[in-house]
Amino acid sequence: MEKKIPYKTYLDESEMPKQWYNLRADMKNKPAPLLNPGTLKPMTVDELEQVFCRELAEQELDDTTPYIDIPKEIQEFYKMYRPSPLVRAYCLEKALDTPAKIYYKFEGNNTSGSHKLNSAIAQAYYAKKQGLKGVTTETGAGQWGTALSMACAYMGLDCKVFMVKVSYEQKPFRREVMRTYGANVTPSPSDTTEVGRKILAEHPGTTGSLGCAISEAVEVAVGTPGYRYVLGSVLSQVLLHQSVIGLESKTAFDKIGVKPDIIIGCAGGGSNLGGLIAPFMREKLRGENDYRIIAVEPASCPSFTRGKYAYDFCDTGMVCPLAKMYTLGSGFIPSANHAGGLRYHGMSSVLSQLYHDGYIEATSVEQTSVFAAAEQFARTEGILPAPESSHAIRVAIDEALKCRETGEEKNIFFGLTGTGYFDMVAYEKFNNGEMSDYIPTDEDLEKGFAGIPDVNL
Ligand SMILES: *Cc1c(COP(=O)(O)O)cnc(C)c1O
């Protein structure tokens, strides 16, 4: 008789990871180095240290150390909201009438409502350890800004957040959560920075973008003594911190004696997906085990599926290092009706290399189908998912439905990155039947590609 898998598999505190796993160490083809935008030479730790704090700059450039100790203080903080459960989605399976077995790792069990806190606390910790006064950052939908505000409050650091103007206006509650945790929140573009004033002069009335908010945050960090810049996704250091998601999942799967066949994650800048797959990808890279890994992105912001693999700017103001990644061009902005997050123009250089080398697949989904999946999930599993997470839910459901056709009992595993309580305006649109899909035309994409610099050797 088949052994009954529990609804939730928790780990004991003693089974929580004590080291992060650095995927790059096992990659034969390393991700291409970050380039200094002035000299086009690979960035050094000393150069990166102008923007990031020292230890994070070192982690950013470390392609060889497989395991990095999680400092005790961070392990303690993690215990406030981790380990996160690995859930067997029995109710969803029943609703889908599928022989597939569906599992998800739920990262929404903290006030910021997403996985972003895993890296926020690490970045705040290293800044504090270096004796800094504070950090600056950007936030789009607000999850990262919230996570960072919580982490800074805990560490006693000042936190300056540039929030994309359209979100600042449309998500006043997110803004107030950040302020409650002590952060200073400025709508971007603002007139408080040079780059903000320049963008405002060129595009009066703009509602802002992530790339633009990044430029403002970097300018303030570099120009204010005792401050550094932090970023919630895309960077290799962020994928490193997010490996706790995958490491916990792997331990839990080993405990119940299950091996996932398909691993699915939504991909914005790639941090949750990179963390989720880390220990599984390790086995795949070493030829010890095989997994099918699927990155899911919005059809309206299709970096993997329709982007170019090239060195590009990470921000609109072109002040950050150049990264080689799948990109839509730093000037790309998804159409105004796009509601589901995951709107960054580029993708983690680690995941880009793995995708380029054929270790991961990518697919894109349209937002009305994403919200339909979100609704089905909420009604069966109870959790109201973030729109970002729902991209992964969509593909997990589709794969489970394929199993219904073929009768295969595949183990499908996806990352449920967060909750969607601050996204009710998007849910309202969907519920009212007012949500539409927009897929950029090739001409739309060409405009973004035109801004990719000509440094591709
Ligand atoms: C930020 C965010 C994402 C996307 O970011 P990645 O770096 O691609 O993981 C996904 N889900 C939620 C809930 C988020 O807040």
Side-chain angles (χ1 to χ4, degrees):
M1 213 189 90
E2 199 188 342
K3 152 177 99 177
K4 172 89 176 165
I5 303 286
Y7 269 74
K8 287 187 184 164
T9 305
Y10 280 104
L11 306 181
D12 295 333
E13 279 183 9
S14 64
E15 295 169 303
M16 287 171 65
K18 295 179 183 56
Q19 295 180 310
W20 291 302
Y21 167 59
N22 181 9
L23 189 49
R24 289 166 285 170
D26 282 294
M27 289 169 66
K28 279 192 202 77
N29 297 333
K30 305 291 183 197
L34 293 172
L35 298 184
N36 179 316
T39 64
L40 299 184
K41 296 247 159 54
M43 292 290 288
T44 62
V45 172
D46 288 341
E47 286 171 329
L48 268 188
E49 203 187 357
Q50 320 275 315
V51 182
F52 304 124
C53 67
R54 178 87 195 175
E55 245 174 291
L56 292 169
E58 283 168 358
Q59 290 180 1
E60 192 60 33
L61 299 186
D62 187 341
D63 283 350
T64 51
T65 312
Y67 291 95
I68 294 177
D69 287 343
I70 305 175
K72 273 274 165 338
E73 292 85 340
I74 300 176
Q75 289 188 39
E76 292 303 316
F77 185 88
Y78 279 166
K79 284 176 192 165
M80 288 204 281
Y81 68 100
R82 311 197 68 81
S84 71
L86 176 72
V87 185
R88 171 79 185 270
Y90 279 114
C91 302
L92 179 62
E93 288 170 18
K94 195 165 162 216
L96 297 174
D97 188 24
T98 174
K101 315 215 173 345
I102 307 174
Y103 296 84
Y104 59 90
K105 179 78 165 162
F106 180 46
E107 289 292 320
N109 251 333
N110 67 77
T111 296
S112 73
S114 82
H115 66 286
K116 293 207 171 63
L117 196 53
N118 299 331
S119 183
I121 188 61
Q123 298 192 44
Y125 167 82
Y126 290 116
K128 185 69 182 179
K129 191 173 161 215
Q130 188 171 319
L132 297 178
K133 277 212 289 257
V135 291
T136 72
T137 198
E138 76 297 327
T139 198
Q143 287 99 320
W144 167 245
T146 311
L148 187 69
S149 307
M150 292 173 69
C152 286
Y154 183 80
M155 288 292 167
L157 277 175
D158 182 42
C159 179
K160 298 187 194 304
V161 180
F162 286 89
M163 186 170 189
V164 177
K165 193 180 276 168
V166 60
S167 302
Y168 183 91
E169 285 160 3
Q170 286 179 357
K171 298 191 171 184
F173 295 156
R174 269 277 175 213
R175 186 176 81 208
E176 289 316 314
V177 178
M178 286 185 254
R179 297 202 326 149
T180 302
Y181 281 95
N184 176 297
V185 188
T186 307
S188 166
S190 74
D191 59 7
T192 66
T193 65
E194 225 170 272
V195 62
R197 286 189 291 273
K198 183 162 170 261
I199 291 167
L200 282 173
E202 283 168 12
H203 308 277
T206 176
T207 53
S209 71
L210 267 182
C212 164
I214 294 174
S215 302
E216 290 206 275
V218 171
E219 181 182 319
V220 172
V222 172
T224 317
Y227 280 74
R228 290 293 187 282
Y229 168 70
V230 294
L231 177 62
S233 182
V234 188
L235 296 172
S236 302
Q237 58 184 279
V238 183
L239 269 73
L240 173 73
H241 307 145
Q242 294 298 354
S243 68
V244 290
I245 306 173
L247 291 163
E248 281 185 8
S249 306
K250 183 79 172 58
T251 307
F253 273 120
D254 288 347
K255 247 178 128 152
I256 55 175
V258 170
K259 175 192 168 290
D261 299 302
I262 308 178
I263 305 175
I264 301 164
C266 62
S271 74
N272 88 81
L273 179 65
L276 181 77
I277 65 175
F280 304 98
M281 183 57 80
R282 175 179 183 273
E283 295 185 342
K284 189 164 167 143
L285 287 166
R286 297 161 72 92
E288 297 166 0
N289 242 328
D290 199 17
Y291 303 93
R292 191 175 158 217
I293 292 168
I294 310 175
V296 189
E297 58 186 16
S300 51
C301 190
S303 331
F304 265 145
T305 49
R306 294 175 69 197
K308 287 213 185 334
Y309 189 37
Y311 269 108
D312 194 13
F313 298 105
C314 294
D315 62 321
T316 314
M318 305 173 186
V319 294
C320 294
L322 296 167
K324 187 169 182 188
M325 56 187 177
Y326 280 85
T327 179
L328 298 167
S330 60
F332 179 84
I333 295 178
S335 84
N337 79 343
H338 172 72
L342 310 174
R343 52 173 64 242
Y344 187 63
H345 67 274
M347 186 58 67
S348 142
S349 58
V350 175
L351 293 187
S352 291
Q353 185 67 49
L354 290 169
Y355 177 65
H356 189 70
D357 291 341
Y359 288 101
I360 50 186
E361 303 167 28
T363 185
S364 71
V365 288
E366 291 171 37
Q367 64 178 358
T368 50
S369 76
V370 167
F371 277 81
E375 189 182 86
Q376 185 170 25
F377 186 82
R379 290 179 188 181
T380 50
E381 289 291 313
I383 297 170
L384 192 139
E388 292 91 341
S389 321
S390 306
H391 289 70
I393 299 175
R394 173 75 271 157
V395 172
I397 289 177
D398 290 346
E399 289 296 327
L401 291 175
K402 280 185 208 158
C403 289
R404 185 166 75 187
E405 300 305 311
T406 61
E408 286 172 290
E409 295 186 15
K410 283 188 184 152
N411 292 317
I412 299 172
F413 173 43
F414 71 92
L416 184 66
T417 50
T419 48
Y421 301 115
F422 290 103
D423 298 285
M424 297 325 289
V425 172
Y427 272 96
E428 180 186 29
K429 271 210 183 106
F430 178 73
N431 290 332
N432 288 344
E434 291 160 358
M435 181 175 276
S436 57
D437 294 318
Y438 180 78
I439 303 180
T441 62
D442 288 342
E443 291 80 68
D444 293 337
L445 294 185
E446 282 306 327
K447 283 182 212 144
F449 294 150
I452 297 177
D454 194 16
V455 297
N456 296 292
L457 318 166

